[in-house]
Amino acid sequence: HGHNYSVGVRAGGSTIQADGYSADFGDLKKVARKACDALNQRTLVPMKSDVLQIRRSESNGGQLEISCEGGAVMVLPEQDC
């Protein structure tokens, strides 16, 4: 099973092209898609959560230990995140 996320992109520039835009939407879309593809099949962890404590461990090749507010603990390989 999986979850779906939406992505927002904010872009700006110092010059405006003749068509009134600062960048080509197709170019921005390609860059955003490449960034999203790099995250596919990864575990996304909200690093600034106020209900999770996240610690990085060097043991076993590097792992993330995620402690939840209710006491549950998850340990994930760092390369999966």
Side-chain angles (χ1 to χ4, degrees):
H1 107 276
H3 298 273
N4 294 318
Y5 292 88
S6 60
V7 174
V9 175
R10 182 179 292 186
S14 59
T15 60
I16 302 295
Q17 299 174 19
D19 59 6
Y21 293 98
S22 61
D24 184 292
F25 178 75
D27 293 338
L28 293 175
K29 188 174 178 179
K30 287 177 191 174
V31 171
R33 189 176 306 272
K34 186 174 181 180
C36 289
D37 286 346
L39 296 174
N40 191 27
Q41 302 300 318
R42 299 285 185 174
T43 302
L44 304 179
V45 179
M47 300 300 287
K48 295 182 180 179
S49 172
D50 58 350
V51 296
L52 299 177
Q53 292 182 345
I54 302 166
R55 290 192 304 263
R56 184 174 182 269
S57 170
E58 293 293 333
S59 65
N60 298 325
Q63 296 180 335
L64 291 182
E65 183 178 298
I66 304 166
S67 302
C68 302
E69 186 177 52
V73 177
M74 296 175 280
V75 179
L76 304 170
E78 188 173 15
Q79 69 268 14
D80 288 354
C81 300

Coordinates of all heavy atoms in Angstrom, one line a residue:
H1 N 0.8 -1.2 0.0 CA 0.0 0.0 0.0 C 0.9 1.2 0.0 O 2.0 1.2 0.4 CB -1.0 -0.1 1.2 CG -0.7 0.8 2.3 ND1 0.2 0.5 3.3 CD2 -1.3 2.0 2.6 CE1 0.1 1.5 4.2 NE2 -0.7 2.4 3.8
G2 N 0.4 2.3 -0.4 CA 1.2 3.5 -0.4 C 0.3 4.8 -0.2 O -0.9 4.7 0.0
H3 N 1.0 5.9 -0.1 CA 0.3 7.1 0.1 C 0.7 8.1 -1.1 O 1.7 7.9 -1.7 CB 0.8 7.8 1.4 CG 0.5 6.9 2.6 ND1 -0.7 7.0 3.3 CD2 1.2 6.0 3.2 CE1 -0.7 6.2 4.3 NE2 0.4 5.5 4.3
N4 N -0.2 9.0 -1.3 CA 0.0 10.0 -2.4 C 0.3 11.3 -1.7 O -0.2 11.7 -0.7 CB -1.2 10.1 -3.2 CG -1.5 8.8 -4.0 OD1 -0.6 8.2 -4.5 ND2 -2.7 8.4 -4.1
Y5 N 1.2 12.0 -2.4 CA 1.6 13.4 -1.9 C 1.5 14.3 -3.1 O 1.6 13.9 -4.2 CB 3.1 13.4 -1.4 CG 3.3 12.6 -0.1 CD1 3.5 11.2 -0.2 CD2 3.2 13.2 1.1 CE1 3.7 10.5 1.0 CE2 3.3 12.5 2.3 CZ 3.6 11.1 2.2 OH 3.7 10.4 3.4
S6 N 1.3 15.6 -2.8 CA 1.3 16.6 -3.8 C 2.6 17.4 -3.6 O 3.1 17.5 -2.5 CB 0.1 17.5 -3.7 OG 0.0 18.1 -2.5
V7 N 3.0 18.0 -4.7 CA 4.2 18.8 -4.7 C 4.0 20.2 -5.2 O 3.2 20.3 -6.2 CB 5.3 18.1 -5.6 CG1 6.6 18.9 -5.7 CG2 5.7 16.7 -5.0
G8 N 4.5 21.1 -4.6 CA 4.4 22.5 -5.0 C 5.8 23.0 -5.5 O 6.8 22.6 -4.9
V9 N 5.8 23.8 -6.5 CA 7.1 24.4 -6.9 C 6.9 25.9 -7.0 O 5.9 26.4 -7.5 CB 7.4 23.9 -8.4 CG1 8.7 24.5 -8.9 CG2 7.6 22.4 -8.3
R10 N 7.9 26.6 -6.4 CA 7.9 28.0 -6.5 C 9.2 28.4 -7.3 O 10.3 28.0 -6.9 CB 7.9 28.6 -5.1 CG 7.9 30.1 -5.1 CD 7.9 30.7 -3.7 NE 6.7 30.4 -3.1 CZ 6.3 30.9 -1.9 NH1 7.1 31.6 -1.2 NH2 5.1 30.5 -1.4
A11 N 9.0 29.2 -8.3 CA 10.1 29.6 -9.1 C 10.1 31.1 -9.3 O 9.0 31.7 -9.3 CB 10.1 28.9 -10.5
G12 N 11.2 31.7 -9.5 CA 11.3 33.1 -9.8 C 12.5 33.4 -10.7 O 13.3 32.5 -10.9
G13 N 12.5 34.6 -11.1 CA 13.7 34.9 -12.0 C 13.8 36.4 -11.9 O 13.0 37.2 -11.5
S14 N 15.0 36.9 -12.4 CA 15.3 38.3 -12.4 C 14.9 38.9 -13.8 O 14.9 40.1 -13.9 CB 16.7 38.5 -12.1 OG 17.6 37.9 -13.1
T15 N 14.6 38.1 -14.7 CA 14.2 38.6 -16.0 C 12.9 38.0 -16.5 O 12.6 36.9 -16.1 CB 15.3 38.4 -17.1 OG1 15.5 36.9 -17.2 CG2 16.6 39.0 -16.7
I16 N 12.2 38.7 -17.3 CA 10.9 38.2 -17.9 C 11.2 38.1 -19.4 O 11.7 39.0 -20.1 CB 9.8 39.2 -17.7 CG1 9.6 39.5 -16.2 CG2 8.5 38.8 -18.3 CD1 9.1 38.3 -15.4
Q17 N 10.8 36.9 -19.9 CA 10.9 36.6 -21.3 C 9.9 37.4 -22.1 O 8.9 38.0 -21.6 CB 10.7 35.2 -21.6 CG 11.8 34.3 -20.9 CD 11.5 32.8 -21.0 OE1 10.7 32.4 -21.9 NE2 12.0 32.0 -20.1
A18 N 10.0 37.4 -23.4 CA 9.1 38.2 -24.3 C 7.7 37.7 -24.2 O 6.7 38.5 -24.4 CB 9.6 38.1 -25.8
D19 N 7.5 36.5 -23.8 CA 6.1 35.9 -23.7 C 5.5 36.3 -22.3 O 4.4 35.9 -22.0 CB 6.1 34.4 -23.9 CG 6.9 33.6 -23.0 OD1 7.5 34.2 -22.0 OD2 7.1 32.4 -23.2
G20 N 6.2 37.0 -21.5 CA 5.7 37.4 -20.2 C 6.0 36.4 -19.0 O 5.6 36.7 -17.9
Y21 N 6.7 35.4 -19.3 CA 7.0 34.4 -18.3 C 8.5 34.5 -17.9 O 9.3 34.9 -18.7 CB 6.7 33.0 -18.7 CG 5.2 32.7 -18.9 CD1 4.6 32.8 -20.2 CD2 4.4 32.4 -17.8 CE1 3.2 32.6 -20.3 CE2 3.1 32.2 -18.0 CZ 2.5 32.3 -19.2 OH 1.1 32.1 -19.3
S22 N 8.8 34.0 -16.7 CA 10.3 34.0 -16.3 C 10.9 32.7 -16.6 O 12.2 32.6 -16.6 CB 10.4 34.4 -14.8 OG 9.7 33.4 -14.0
A23 N 10.1 31.6 -16.9 CA 10.7 30.3 -17.2 C 9.7 29.5 -18.0 O 8.5 29.8 -17.9 CB 11.0 29.6 -15.9
D24 N 10.2 28.6 -18.7 CA 9.3 27.7 -19.5 C 8.7 26.6 -18.5 O 9.4 25.9 -17.8 CB 10.1 27.0 -20.6 CG 9.3 26.1 -21.5 OD1 8.8 25.1 -21.0 OD2 9.1 26.5 -22.7
F25 N 7.4 26.5 -18.5 CA 6.7 25.6 -17.6 C 7.1 24.2 -17.9 O 7.3 23.4 -17.0 CB 5.2 25.7 -17.8 CG 4.4 24.7 -17.0 CD1 4.3 24.9 -15.6 CD2 3.9 23.6 -17.5 CE1 3.6 23.9 -14.8 CE2 3.2 22.6 -16.8 CZ 3.1 22.8 -15.4
G26 N 7.4 23.8 -19.1 CA 7.8 22.5 -19.5 C 9.2 22.1 -18.8 O 9.4 21.0 -18.3
D27 N 10.1 23.1 -18.8 CA 11.4 22.9 -18.1 C 11.2 22.7 -16.6 O 11.8 21.9 -16.0 CB 12.3 24.1 -18.4 CG 12.7 24.2 -19.9 OD1 12.6 23.2 -20.6 OD2 13.1 25.3 -20.3
L28 N 10.3 23.6 -16.0 CA 10.1 23.4 -14.6 C 9.5 22.1 -14.3 O 9.8 21.4 -13.3 CB 9.2 24.5 -14.1 CG 9.7 26.0 -14.1 CD1 8.6 27.0 -13.8 CD2 10.9 26.1 -13.2
K29 N 8.6 21.6 -15.1 CA 7.9 20.3 -14.9 C 8.9 19.2 -15.0 O 8.9 18.3 -14.2 CB 6.8 20.1 -15.9 CG 6.0 18.9 -15.7 CD 4.8 18.9 -16.7 CE 4.0 17.7 -16.5 NZ 2.8 17.6 -17.4
K30 N 9.9 19.2 -15.9 CA 10.9 18.2 -16.0 C 11.8 18.1 -14.8 O 12.1 17.0 -14.3 CB 11.8 18.5 -17.2 CG 11.1 18.2 -18.5 CD 12.0 18.5 -19.7 CE 11.3 18.5 -21.0 NZ 12.1 19.0 -22.1
V31 N 12.1 19.3 -14.2 CA 13.0 19.3 -13.0 C 12.2 18.8 -11.8 O 12.7 18.0 -11.0 CB 13.5 20.8 -12.7 CG1 14.2 20.9 -11.4 CG2 14.4 21.2 -13.8
A32 N 10.9 19.2 -11.7 CA 10.1 18.7 -10.6 C 9.9 17.2 -10.7 O 10.0 16.5 -9.7 CB 8.8 19.5 -10.6
R33 N 9.6 16.7 -11.9 CA 9.4 15.3 -12.1 C 10.7 14.5 -11.7 O 10.6 13.4 -11.1 CB 9.0 15.0 -13.5 CG 8.6 13.5 -13.7 CD 8.1 13.3 -15.1 NE 7.0 14.2 -15.5 CZ 5.7 14.0 -15.3 NH1 5.3 12.9 -14.6 NH2 4.8 14.8 -15.7
K34 N 11.8 15.0 -12.1 CA 13.1 14.3 -11.7 C 13.3 14.3 -10.2 O 13.7 13.2 -9.7 CB 14.3 15.1 -12.4 CG 15.6 14.4 -12.3 CD 16.7 15.0 -13.1 CE 18.0 14.3 -12.9 NZ 19.0 14.9 -13.7
A35 N 13.0 15.4 -9.5 CA 13.1 15.4 -8.1 C 12.1 14.4 -7.4 O 12.5 13.7 -6.5 CB 12.8 16.8 -7.5
C36 N 10.9 14.3 -8.0 CA 9.9 13.4 -7.4 C 10.3 11.9 -7.7 O 10.1 11.1 -6.9 CB 8.5 13.7 -8.0 SG 7.8 15.2 -7.4
D37 N 10.8 11.7 -8.9 CA 11.3 10.3 -9.2 C 12.4 9.8 -8.3 O 12.4 8.6 -7.9 CB 11.8 10.3 -10.7 CG 10.7 10.3 -11.7 OD1 9.5 10.2 -11.4 OD2 11.0 10.6 -12.9
A38 N 13.2 10.7 -7.8 CA 14.3 10.4 -6.9 C 13.7 10.0 -5.5 O 14.3 9.2 -4.8 CB 15.3 11.5 -6.7
L39 N 12.5 10.4 -5.2 CA 11.8 10.1 -3.9 C 10.9 8.9 -4.0 O 10.4 8.4 -3.0 CB 11.0 11.3 -3.4 CG 11.8 12.5 -3.1 CD1 10.9 13.7 -2.8 CD2 12.8 12.2 -2.0
N40 N 10.6 8.4 -5.2 CA 9.7 7.3 -5.4 C 10.3 6.0 -4.7 O 11.5 5.8 -4.8 CB 9.6 7.0 -6.9 CG 8.5 6.0 -7.2 OD1 7.5 5.9 -6.4 ND2 8.6 5.3 -8.3
Q41 N 9.5 5.3 -4.1 CA 9.8 4.1 -3.3 C 10.7 4.4 -2.1 O 11.4 3.5 -1.6 CB 10.5 3.1 -4.2 CG 9.7 2.6 -5.4 CD 8.4 1.9 -5.0 OE1 8.4 1.2 -4.1 NE2 7.3 2.3 -5.7
R42 N 10.6 5.6 -1.6 CA 11.3 6.0 -0.4 C 10.3 6.2 0.7 O 9.1 6.4 0.5 CB 12.1 7.3 -0.6 CG 13.1 7.3 -1.7 CD 14.3 6.6 -1.2 NE 15.4 6.6 -2.1 CZ 16.6 6.2 -1.9 NH1 16.9 5.6 -0.7 NH2 17.5 6.3 -2.8
T43 N 10.8 6.1 1.9 CA 10.0 6.4 3.1 C 10.2 7.9 3.4 O 11.3 8.3 3.7 CB 10.4 5.6 4.3 OG1 10.2 4.2 3.9 CG2 9.5 5.9 5.5
L44 N 9.1 8.7 3.3 CA 9.1 10.1 3.6 C 8.8 10.3 5.1 O 7.8 9.9 5.6 CB 8.2 10.9 2.7 CG 8.4 10.7 1.2 CD1 7.4 11.5 0.4 CD2 9.8 11.1 0.8
V45 N 9.7 10.9 5.8 CA 9.6 11.1 7.2 C 9.5 12.6 7.5 O 10.4 13.4 7.1 CB 10.8 10.5 8.0 CG1 10.6 10.8 9.5 CG2 10.9 9.0 7.7
P46 N 8.5 13.1 8.2 CA 8.4 14.5 8.5 C 9.4 14.9 9.6 O 9.1 14.7 10.8 CB 6.9 14.7 9.0 CG 6.5 13.4 9.5 CD 7.3 12.4 8.7
M47 N 10.5 15.4 9.2 CA 11.6 15.7 10.1 C 11.3 16.8 11.2 O 11.9 16.9 12.2 CB 12.8 16.1 9.3 CG 13.3 15.1 8.4 SD 13.8 13.5 9.2 CE 15.3 14.0 10.0
K48 N 10.3 17.6 10.9 CA 9.9 18.7 11.8 C 8.6 18.4 12.6 O 7.9 19.3 13.0 CB 9.8 20.1 11.1 CG 11.1 20.5 10.5 CD 11.0 21.8 9.9 CE 12.4 22.3 9.3 NZ 12.3 23.6 8.6
S49 N 8.3 17.1 12.8 CA 7.1 16.8 13.5 C 7.2 17.0 15.0 O 8.3 16.8 15.6 CB 6.8 15.3 13.2 OG 5.8 14.8 14.1
D50 N 6.1 17.5 15.6 CA 6.2 17.7 17.0 C 5.7 16.4 17.8 O 5.7 16.4 19.0 CB 5.3 18.9 17.4 CG 3.9 18.7 17.0 OD1 3.5 17.8 16.2 OD2 3.0 19.6 17.4
V51 N 5.4 15.3 17.1 CA 5.1 14.1 17.8 C 6.0 12.9 17.5 O 5.8 11.8 18.0 CB 3.6 13.7 17.4 CG1 2.6 14.7 17.9 CG2 3.5 13.4 15.9
L52 N 7.1 13.2 16.7 CA 8.1 12.2 16.4 C 9.5 12.6 16.9 O 9.8 13.8 16.8 CB 8.2 11.9 14.9 CG 7.0 11.4 14.2 CD1 7.2 11.3 12.7 CD2 6.5 10.1 14.7
Q53 N 10.2 11.7 17.4 CA 11.6 11.9 17.7 C 12.4 11.1 16.8 O 12.2 9.9 16.7 CB 12.0 11.6 19.2 CG 11.3 12.5 20.1 CD 11.7 12.2 21.6 OE1 12.2 11.1 21.8 NE2 11.4 13.1 22.5
I54 N 13.4 11.7 16.0 CA 14.1 10.9 15.0 C 15.6 11.0 15.4 O 16.1 12.1 15.6 CB 13.9 11.5 13.6 CG1 12.4 11.5 13.3 CG2 14.6 10.8 12.6 CD1 11.9 12.3 12.2
R55 N 16.2 9.8 15.5 CA 17.6 9.7 15.8 C 18.3 8.9 14.7 O 17.7 7.9 14.2 CB 17.8 9.1 17.1 CG 17.4 9.9 18.3 CD 17.9 9.4 19.6 NE 17.5 8.0 19.8 CZ 16.4 7.6 20.5 NH1 15.7 8.6 21.1 NH2 16.1 6.4 20.7
R56 N 19.5 9.3 14.3 CA 20.3 8.6 13.3 C 21.3 7.8 14.0 O 22.0 8.2 14.9 CB 21.0 9.6 12.4 CG 21.8 8.9 11.3 CD 22.3 10.0 10.3 NE 23.0 9.4 9.3 CZ 24.3 9.1 9.3 NH1 25.1 9.4 10.3 NH2 24.9 8.5 8.2
S57 N 21.4 6.5 13.7 CA 22.3 5.6 14.3 C 23.3 5.1 13.2 O 22.9 4.8 12.1 CB 21.5 4.4 14.9 OG 22.4 3.4 15.2
E58 N 24.6 5.0 13.6 CA 25.6 4.5 12.7 C 25.7 3.0 12.6 O 26.3 2.4 11.8 CB 27.0 5.1 13.0 CG 27.1 6.6 12.9 CD 27.0 7.0 11.4 OE1 27.4 6.2 10.5 OE2 26.6 8.1 11.1
S59 N 25.0 2.4 13.6 CA 25.1 0.9 13.7 C 24.4 0.3 12.5 O 23.4 0.8 12.0 CB 24.5 0.4 15.0 OG 23.2 0.7 15.1
N60 N 24.8 -0.9 12.1 CA 24.2 -1.6 11.0 C 24.1 -0.9 9.7 O 23.1 -0.9 9.0 CB 22.8 -2.1 11.4 CG 22.8 -3.1 12.6 OD1 23.8 -3.9 12.7 ND2 21.8 -3.0 13.5
G61 N 25.1 -0.1 9.4 CA 25.1 0.6 8.1 C 24.3 1.9 8.1 O 24.1 2.4 7.0
G62 N 23.9 2.4 9.2 CA 23.2 3.6 9.2 C 21.7 3.4 9.2 O 21.1 2.9 8.3
Q63 N 21.0 3.7 10.3 CA 19.6 3.6 10.4 C 19.0 4.8 11.1 O 19.6 5.6 11.7 CB 19.3 2.4 11.3 CG 19.8 1.0 10.8 CD 19.4 -0.1 11.7 OE1 19.3 0.0 12.9 NE2 19.3 -1.3 11.1
L64 N 17.7 5.0 10.8 CA 16.9 6.0 11.5 C 16.0 5.3 12.5 O 15.3 4.4 12.2 CB 16.0 6.8 10.5 CG 16.8 7.7 9.5 CD1 15.8 8.5 8.6 CD2 17.7 8.7 10.2
E65 N 16.0 5.8 13.7 CA 15.1 5.3 14.7 C 14.1 6.4 15.0 O 14.4 7.5 15.3 CB 15.9 5.0 16.0 CG 15.0 4.4 17.1 CD 15.8 4.1 18.4 OE1 16.7 3.3 18.3 OE2 15.5 4.7 19.4
I66 N 12.8 6.0 14.7 CA 11.7 7.0 14.8 C 10.8 6.6 16.0 O 10.3 5.5 16.0 CB 10.9 7.0 13.5 CG1 11.8 7.3 12.4 CG2 9.8 8.0 13.6 CD1 11.2 7.0 11.0
S67 N 10.8 7.4 17.0 CA 10.0 7.2 18.2 C 8.7 8.0 18.1 O 8.8 9.2 17.9 CB 10.7 7.5 19.5 OG 11.9 6.8 19.6
C68 N 7.6 7.4 18.2 CA 6.3 8.1 18.1 C 5.8 8.5 19.5 O 6.2 7.9 20.5 CB 5.2 7.1 17.5 SG 5.7 6.5 15.9
E69 N 4.9 9.5 19.5 CA 4.4 10.0 20.7 C 3.8 8.9 21.6 O 3.9 9.0 22.8 CB 3.3 11.1 20.4 CG 2.8 11.9 21.5 CD 1.8 12.9 21.1 OE1 0.9 12.6 20.3 OE2 2.0 14.1 21.5
G70 N 3.1 8.0 21.0 CA 2.5 6.9 21.8 C 3.4 5.8 22.3 O 3.0 4.9 22.9
G71 N 4.7 5.9 22.0 CA 5.6 4.9 22.5 C 6.1 3.9 21.4 O 7.1 3.2 21.7
A72 N 5.5 3.9 20.3 CA 5.9 3.0 19.2 C 7.3 3.4 18.7 O 7.5 4.6 18.6 CB 4.9 2.9 18.1
V73 N 8.1 2.5 18.3 CA 9.4 2.8 17.7 C 9.6 2.0 16.4 O 9.3 0.9 16.3 CB 10.6 2.4 18.7 CG1 11.9 2.6 18.1 CG2 10.4 3.1 20.0
M74 N 10.0 2.8 15.4 CA 10.3 2.1 14.1 C 11.8 2.4 13.8 O 12.3 3.4 14.0 CB 9.5 2.8 13.0 CG 8.0 2.6 13.2 SD 7.0 3.5 11.9 CE 7.1 5.1 12.7
V75 N 12.4 1.4 13.2 CA 13.8 1.5 12.8 C 13.9 1.2 11.3 O 13.4 0.1 10.9 CB 14.7 0.5 13.6 CG1 16.2 0.7 13.1 CG2 14.6 0.8 15.1
L76 N 14.4 2.1 10.6 CA 14.4 2.0 9.1 C 15.9 2.2 8.6 O 16.6 3.0 9.1 CB 13.6 3.1 8.5 CG 12.1 3.1 8.9 CD1 11.5 4.4 8.3 CD2 11.4 1.9 8.4
P77 N 16.2 1.4 7.6 CA 17.5 1.7 6.9 C 17.6 3.1 6.4 O 16.6 3.6 5.8 CB 17.6 0.7 5.8 CG 16.6 -0.3 6.1 CD 15.5 0.4 6.9
E78 N 18.6 3.8 6.7 CA 18.7 5.2 6.2 C 18.6 5.4 4.7 O 18.0 6.3 4.2 CB 20.0 5.8 6.7 CG 20.1 7.3 6.5 CD 21.3 7.9 7.1 OE1 22.3 7.2 7.5 OE2 21.4 9.2 7.2
Q79 N 19.1 4.4 4.0 CA 19.1 4.5 2.5 C 17.6 4.4 2.0 O 17.4 4.7 0.8 CB 20.0 3.5 1.9 CG 19.6 2.0 2.0 CD 20.2 1.3 3.2 OE1 20.7 2.0 4.1 NE2 20.1 0.0 3.2
D80 N 16.7 3.9 2.8 CA 15.3 3.8 2.4 C 14.5 5.1 2.6 O 13.4 5.3 2.2 CB 14.6 2.7 3.1 CG 15.0 1.3 2.7 OD1 15.7 1.2 1.7 OD2 14.5 0.4 3.3
C81 N 15.2 6.1 3.2 CA 14.5 7.3 3.6 C 15.0 8.5 2.8 O 16.0 8.4 2.2 CB 14.7 7.7 5.1 SG 14.0 6.4 6.1

